[in-house]
């Protein structure tokens, strides 16, 4: 390894240590953020009627989510 490569690797190690100590982590979402992201659509407003056949198809996905 050349001297320049050694210096660059040392500087990158030093920078990564500084960033791991002083770097900001992303903000966690609040409950208000999660409520705004949730879509509250009514199927009756959309004009869709859920029959038992459609419910049986989607029931597994709904139960898995909650």
């Amino acid at each position: 390894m050349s001297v320049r490569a050694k210096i660059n690797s040392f500087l990158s190690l030093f920078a990564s240590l500084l960033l791991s100590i002083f770097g900001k982590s992303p903000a966690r979402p609040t409950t208000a953020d999660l409520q705004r992201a949730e879509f509250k659509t009514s199927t009756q407003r959309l004009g869709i009627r859920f029959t038992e056949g459609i419910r049986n198809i989607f029931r597994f996905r709904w139960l898995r989510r909650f």
Side-chain angles (χ1 to χ4, degrees):
M1 263 174 114
S2 69
V3 174
R4 183 178 293 246
K6 287 183 181 181
I7 291 174
N8 285 341
S9 64
F10 175 73
L11 288 177
S12 64
L13 174 69
F14 184 69
S16 65
L17 288 174
L18 283 178
L19 285 174
S20 67
I21 294 171
F22 297 110
K24 288 181 76 174
S25 61
R28 295 190 175 245
T30 61
T31 55
D33 293 334
L34 294 176
Q35 285 177 349
R36 264 187 265 121
E38 190 171 333
F39 295 104
K40 297 178 181 175
T41 56
S42 171
T43 56
Q44 288 179 345
R45 251 190 267 156
L46 294 173
I48 300 171
R49 301 272 185 221
F50 272 115
T51 62
E52 280 301 312
I54 294 174
R55 282 201 172 123
N56 288 336
I57 292 171
F58 287 103
R59 186 169 282 132
F60 177 71
R61 292 183 189 176
W62 290 330
L63 291 176
R64 187 175 55 190
R65 185 185 304 171
F66 297 111

